[in-house]
Amino acid sequence: MRGLPAAARGYIGGTALAAALCAAPAIRLGAGAPWSSTLALALLYAGCEQVRRCPSVGGRAPSGTGPAEGPAGFPAGWASPVLLAGVCLLPPPLAALTAVPGALTGPAEARLTGARRLWHAAELAPACWAAAQVFRLTGGHPPWSAPQFPVLLLPAAAAAATFCAVLAALDGGVLIAAERHPVRTAWRGLLTRSLGPHLVHGLAGLMMAVLWRSSYGPPAALLVLLPMCLSCWVFAQYHRERAAHQATIRALVQAVDIKDRYTRGHSERVGRASVMIARELGMAEDRVEVLRFAGILHDVGKLGVPTRLLRKDGPLTPQERRVIELHPEYGHEIVRGIGFLGEARAAILHHHERLDGRGYPYGLRGHHIPEYARVVAVADAFDAMTSTRSYRRARPVPAAVEELRKCAGAQFDPRMVRALAASLDRDGWHPDLVTAVDAEPAVVADGGGVPGRDEEPVGGVVQRRDGESDGGVAPRDGESARGPERTAVRPGLRPEGAGRDGTR
């Protein structure tokens, strides 16, 4: 508790006191209270919490997954049906007690373990007490017979909703006190995200309670936990696989950053800008996640480019530029067998295409360019302009956005440019990742860049090493960054996913 702010200690202490007051009336219930059922449910809940420690179902995500690293096993609330069965079976004070042993002995993060366990017990006890009160107020009075089961659906749903609402209210408060979340956003989404699962758990808890009171006895109630356990195991495997995916992506990005030190951090920032565009366009979350992968991996093909070219001091020759311009195809070959990337593979291959057909590697035009590639192209150019390199300083965000607008329609999709501009106006741009050349001082004065290291002036546009401009109009005929030998499709490599149907 010493590592917590004073406000958080007071909030947790107050919630623990409220939990004690909820459970205190149990002392007056006497020997006639269902103490045996209370003890059995408390032990069952504690056992379910311990299942999360089991390496075969819990475990941890693979290391190296960055922010996503952590428990990859059963979710924290998977045993809620046991508590909600207690809500249906027991008086409110005893229902509050069933959660305490499991919460105090269950797994918790290594940091502030004691405080987390105390908080978990302190919030569950009032939630169970309030849910049990609502269950009885809405007509749920044990004992029941089987024909009464449909009548109890409404009280059980009301109890589950109350359980969810109390937890959401308490969680929002601790976010404000312990993590200093703004009051206006602390409760955002807490209730809506958890209400559906809690209603399902409420139904499962009611089924457990009915079986508990049936002629088959408490052992029959355990059967309800089997499908819950199976679904949580599937959930755990999904998160384990997702963590492995993230570890794979991070390894590829680190390899690119080591090879091309001048753009370190660029991949993550492009992924972030791509997500901003996608969310502004209203894409579904699963597509947003794949697009984030596309942004992060868009330059993975640089692993196939000779390091001497990536680190060359001075302008590139036309032949060297043609070699660099192969990196989208190299990248596509590298990720071709990674199935979970989906549409991201097309973005990696086509993120240097232009709407006017002067891009590479295949010179696709307009909406023949895959949607993901059009998003990543804008995000890539934006970060290139707003990042400091050894040969020039970063442009201000408004200047970069204005340059993107000038190029919209010729080089970039105007819809993607508008989406990025709207997202930046609302949320701003916070490139808090390490920049590519933190240790290397800028060598030019404020304003504009000069040719150097990996860019050269072509048709009035500053061209980057990889052939894409940091913004600006298309070069004139004969000055295309593709070079004279890049106009035909290379043998053995075909454009992937031109447009959503995969055709050119």
Side-chain angles (χ1 to χ4, degrees), residues 209-246:
V210 170
L211 291 172
W212 194 283
R213 289 295 184 92
S214 71
S215 58
Y216 300 103
L222 298 179
L223 296 175
V224 177
L225 290 178
L226 291 179
M228 299 293 299
C229 187
L230 179 61
S231 64
C232 288
W233 180 83
V234 173
F235 176 86
Q237 300 314 303
Y238 162 76
H239 277 273
R240 194 181 295 271
E241 182 180 3
R242 185 172 183 270
H245 292 170
Q246 291 175 337

Side-chain angles (χ1 to χ4, degrees), residues 337-411:
I338 304 179
F340 70 86
L341 289 178
E343 292 181 82
R345 295 193 295 267
I348 293 168
L349 179 61
H350 296 297
H351 70 280
H352 283 304
E353 304 284 4
R354 299 168 54 110
L355 290 192
D356 58 11
R358 296 185 177 183
Y360 63 89
Y362 298 113
L364 302 184
R365 289 178 176 270
H367 288 277
H368 290 291
I369 304 171
E371 184 180 32
Y372 279 21
R374 284 179 271 137
V375 172
V376 173
V378 172
D380 185 23
F382 172 76
D383 183 69
M385 287 188 283
T386 56
S387 297
T388 296
R389 304 288 170 87
S390 61
Y391 46 81
R392 60 156 173 78
R393 296 182 180 178
R395 298 190 194 185
V397 169
V401 172
E402 183 59 31
E403 192 68 32
L404 290 173
R405 288 193 174 112
K406 290 179 182 177
C407 302
Q411 183 171 351

